[in-house]
Amino acid sequence: EKLIIDGITLDESQAMVTLVGLSDIPGLAAQTFDELAEAGIVVDMIVQSIGRDNRADISLTIKREDLKKTLQVAEELARGLNCPPPTHNSQVAKLSVFGTGIKSYSGVASRMFKALSAAEINLDLIGTSEVRVNVVVDGKQGAKALEVLKQEFADALV
Amino acid sequence: EKLIIDGITLDESQAMVTLVGLSDIPGLAAQTFDELAEAGIVVDMIVQSIGRDNRADISLTIKREDLKKTLQVAEELARGLNCPPPTHNSQVAKLSVFGTGIKSYSGVASRMFKALSAAEINLDLIGTSEVRVNVVVDGKQGAKALEVLKQEFADALV
Ligand SMILES: C[C@@H](O)[C@H](N)C(=O)O
Ligand SMILES: C[C@@H](O)[C@H](N)C(=O)O
């Protein structure tokens, strides 16, 4: 079966903030996003993998112009919850490969990761949904990553 | 503006495996998913948040019948890469709130997390895309989580 994808995009308008070492108990994510929503911050990607030693990190991406406000909210939360200070990267690049063809094809993520790794590009965040694989890399490698993925999936682009 | 969502789903057919402490250098994700694709394993969610101390965890969900095969691949990888053994949960519940209305409404995640936390349900994994918020909770709480979300978003369901 031939893979068909709808597109590949690069978004260089975002920054990333990570809340580090949140207690892995009900309510911490709710409090975090409640305070961000109250501050009027629109969050794009939210990524949390499984906690370790009862602590979990939540990474999120926002528009770069919201970075200062987001850090203020995150730092206040961390102080109140006795967590380490949040970390951030003020310039990230989000690459997306998307299309309904991804649903029935298990090799898209593997091809995407392989192509980026061959170009020595490190994956900072990964998030997938049924029809989309999103990765975040350092902002300086966005254009190169897009080029690499366009070549890798040239045969699959409609 | 009124939020409109297309639906809320519960998927109780999956298990979760986490590769722990992968070196945060290019190539590790590629190797992991290459070996999973070679073993014919179709991965649903892939979630990796930012690494710490140059190590990152990658959580993934698969069909429960693929758990044994996936753990074999993951354990072999961990041995070869000198990582701690992978962890898993053989019965997880994936809850999704989705719809194009989510794009322009920043409070969906916050409402979702708040409703689940009020019901004492812990979030194990979080992954979002432009039009969908996915969370993974323990398999025993799937039905309750679905109920809670249907109530929370009753006014937004078309
Ligand atoms: C870490 C955070 O997501 C926590 N597990 C919660 O449910 O809120
Ligand atoms: C941890 C893993 O994702 C690594 N950063 C890589 O690029 O492969």
Side-chain angles (χ1 to χ4, degrees):
Chain A
E1 185 204 324
K2 187 168 147 39
L3 169 72
I4 292 180
I5 62 172
D6 296 337
I8 303 171
T9 55
L10 165 64
D11 179 349
E12 298 185 292
S13 68
Q14 300 197 17
M16 176 167 69
V17 171
T18 301
L19 288 111
V20 178
L22 292 172
S23 296
D24 198 5
I25 56 174
L28 275 297
Q31 189 181 348
T32 302
F33 288 91
D34 192 36
E35 298 197 12
L36 289 167
E38 243 170 67
I41 295 165
V42 179
V43 176
D44 181 32
M45 283 177 81
I46 305 172
V47 173
Q48 176 205 321
S49 19
I50 194 91
R52 281 210 270 163
D53 311 327
N54 290 325
R55 297 264 167 196
D57 302 341
I58 298 181
S59 296
L60 52 100
T61 65
I62 48 172
K63 287 272 170 259
R64 195 165 305 128
E65 53 269 27
D66 283 339
L67 178 58
K68 195 156 164 244
K69 217 173 21 172
T70 303
L71 277 176
Q72 274 167 0
V73 171
E75 279 157 6
E76 213 176 287
L77 258 167
R79 269 196 303 279
L81 297 169
N82 239 345
C83 294
T87 64
H88 73 280
N89 180 343
S90 55
Q91 192 161 358
V92 296
K94 177 185 164 191
L95 284 301
S96 303
V97 172
F98 59 94
T100 47
I102 288 181
K103 246 189 204 154
S104 50
Y105 187 91
S106 71
V108 174
S110 152
R111 278 177 64 183
M112 193 175 172
F113 300 164
K114 238 177 173 172
L116 292 171
S117 102
E120 288 295 314
I121 295 172
N122 196 47
L123 312 179
D124 287 338
L125 276 190
I126 304 171
T128 63
S129 78
E130 290 55 26
V131 290
R132 176 184 283 270
V133 183
N134 291 329
V135 296
V136 169
V137 303
D138 187 81
K140 292 190 275 307
Q141 299 191 298
K144 184 173 157 195
L146 181 64
E147 212 38 59
V148 161
L149 293 177
K150 280 195 173 153
Q151 274 171 14
E152 172 60 29
F153 291 104
D155 62 339
L157 270 164
V158 193
Chain B
E1 187 204 323
K2 190 172 142 41
L3 169 70
I4 293 179
I5 62 172
D6 296 336
I8 303 172
T9 55
L10 166 63
D11 179 349
E12 297 185 291
S13 69
Q14 299 196 15
M16 175 168 70
V17 172
T18 300
L19 288 111
V20 180
L22 291 172
S23 295
D24 199 4
I25 56 172
L28 274 296
Q31 187 179 349
T32 302
F33 288 91
D34 191 37
E35 298 197 11
L36 289 168
E38 242 170 66
I41 294 162
V42 179
V43 176
D44 180 32
M45 284 177 81
I46 305 172
V47 173
Q48 177 204 319
S49 24
I50 192 86
R52 279 210 268 164
D53 312 323
N54 288 325
R55 297 263 165 198
D57 302 342
I58 297 181
S59 297
L60 53 99
T61 64
I62 47 174
K63 286 270 168 265
R64 196 166 304 130
E65 53 271 28
D66 283 338
L67 178 57
K68 201 160 160 241
K69 222 175 15 174
T70 303
L71 277 175
Q72 274 167 359
V73 171
E75 280 157 6
E76 215 176 286
L77 259 167
R79 269 196 305 277
L81 297 169
N82 237 350
C83 295
T87 64
H88 74 278
N89 181 339
S90 56
Q91 192 160 358
V92 296
K94 175 184 165 189
L95 284 302
S96 302
V97 172
F98 59 96
T100 47
I102 289 181
K103 250 192 198 145
S104 51
Y105 187 91
S106 72
V108 174
S110 155
R111 279 177 65 182
M112 193 175 171
F113 300 164
K114 235 177 177 171
L116 293 171
S117 105
E120 289 294 319
I121 295 173
N122 196 48
L123 311 179
D124 288 337
L125 278 190
I126 304 171
T128 63
S129 77
E130 291 53 27
V131 291
R132 173 185 287 267
V133 182
N134 290 329
V135 296
V136 169
V137 303
D138 186 82
K140 291 192 275 304
Q141 298 190 300
K144 187 174 155 194
L146 180 65
E147 213 38 62
V148 161
L149 293 177
K150 281 197 171 154
Q151 274 170 17
E152 172 60 30
F153 291 104
D155 62 338
L157 271 164
V158 194

